[in-house]
Amino acid sequence: MTKLNYSIKGFDFCEFYVGNAKQTAYFYQNAMGFKLIAYKGLETGSREKVSYVLNQNKIYFIISSPLKKNTDIGEHINLHGDGIKDVAFTVTDAKVAWEESISHGAKSELKPKTISDSNGTVVISSIKTFGDTIHTFVERKDYNGAFLPGFKTIEEKSTNKNRLCHIDHIVGNQPDGKMLPTCEFYEKVFNWKRFWSVDDKDINTEYSSLRSIVMTNDNKIIKMPINEPAEGKKKSQIQEFIDYYETSGIQHLALSTKNIIKTVRHMKSKGVEFLNTPKSYYENLISRVGKIEEDIKILKELGILVDSDENGYLLQIFTKPLQDRPTLFFEIIQRKGSNSFGKGNFKALFESIENEQLKRGNL
Ligand code: FE2
């Protein structure tokens, strides 16, 4: 395939469609350290949709809810529950990104559109991807407002230490048999490559099994693992997601930190729930991953996982689902050389996930 005539510079924002944007935003602000930077709603003349824009270093979330019945957002929530609608990319040219995506077989969600306010001009366009999820292309020409035209800037005084740095990767779950076609979509539309993969021989516990391929763009800033369930004795966690989200969708966002111990301790003190790690996981940890700088006693106390490869190691931990349906969750990750995805932890992790599935009656 020929080279793209535009480039994807990174993740721009993720937009969440939720039932109660005000309360969801409060959770991300207070439990996860995000700051409210912009808003649109009835007070700004937006009659159908309310949106809170949250920021933490390079991470931007839009939390949106409908303000009346019979809206697309309401329909989305009715079908999927709270979840991520849009994974947006910052691009060098939103018109060309849209045109090339369409010519490579993607379906349009929004034709290129120029939006401006007194702070400058932005061009946006969107295409559909798996399930009801979309990718918006954002071309920030000379824009120097807080977020995007149409939002009112909020100057929130925040005491949060802003410990989360950027989006490390975003994972999409697919129904059985749909992982490869989804990866082919990204190869065809964006010329992305396969960065890393695991199959069910690598990842299976007694019950739960999955296959995964990580797709990445040319500068490797965008990493999107694509999962599908694999046959197991009982229900795969990926299948549980599909059953409750009703289709493909975003399973987790991995957010990076420079100090996972401080970050996780803070989030726990604010009520964020993490998956439990079996205490036996820490026996022989050093012989599995090699020497690490962190105190294993503290990692054990917090349940933080470690994995290593030839380039170094990584520390990671996973939250429980962030809404009542067992769908979206977050991963907190600190990389110390390793660019992989914690394959060595999948077994310990899956056993913990299966315990939660069992409590929900879904195993
Ligand atoms: Fe992950």
Side-chain angles (χ1 to χ4, degrees), residues 151-163:
F151 288 87
K152 178 176 167 249
T153 300
I154 307 282
E155 310 260 351
E156 186 203 31
K157 284 200 180 60
S158 167
T159 51
N160 291 328
K161 294 257 166 51
N162 296 331
R163 294 180 174 90

Side-chain angles (χ1 to χ4, degrees), residues 166-222:
H166 67 269
I167 297 174
D168 186 275
H169 59 272
I170 298 184
V171 182
N173 277 353
Q174 313 302 324
D176 193 11
K178 289 290 187 302
M179 175 183 70
L180 283 174
T182 304
C183 294
E184 280 156 15
F185 172 88
Y186 284 108
E187 286 166 340
K188 203 168 65 157
V189 173
F190 293 147
N191 203 15
W192 287 2
K193 301 280 184 291
R194 297 176 186 209
F195 181 74
W196 193 81
S197 74
V198 279
D199 65 23
D200 43 334
K201 283 177 230 46
D202 298 313
I203 308 181
N204 68 69
T205 57
E206 196 181 350
Y207 297 131
S208 199
S209 193
L210 68 75
R211 288 178 286 268
S212 184
I213 295 175
V214 181
M215 301 303 296
T216 191
N217 69 329
D218 53 358
N219 64 17
K220 298 198 170 56
I221 286 177
I222 305 290

Side-chain angles (χ1 to χ4, degrees), residues 193-260:
K193 301 280 184 291
R194 297 176 186 209
F195 181 74
W196 193 81
S197 74
V198 279
D199 65 23
D200 43 334
K201 283 177 230 46
D202 298 313
I203 308 181
N204 68 69
T205 57
E206 196 181 350
Y207 297 131
S208 199
S209 193
L210 68 75
R211 288 178 286 268
S212 184
I213 295 175
V214 181
M215 301 303 296
T216 191
N217 69 329
D218 53 358
N219 64 17
K220 298 198 170 56
I221 286 177
I222 305 290
K223 291 193 196 81
M224 290 192 62
I226 304 297
N227 294 338
E228 70 177 4
E231 286 294 305
K233 269 195 198 159
K234 291 198 179 173
K235 187 183 279 189
S236 164
Q237 52 153 320
I238 310 304
Q239 190 57 47
E240 189 194 31
F241 174 100
I242 299 295
D243 291 347
Y244 282 87
Y245 204 67
E246 302 280 351
T247 179
S248 316
I250 301 299
Q251 178 210 37
H252 77 266
L253 295 192
L255 306 175
S256 75
T257 171
K258 291 195 170 76
N259 188 331
I260 197 168

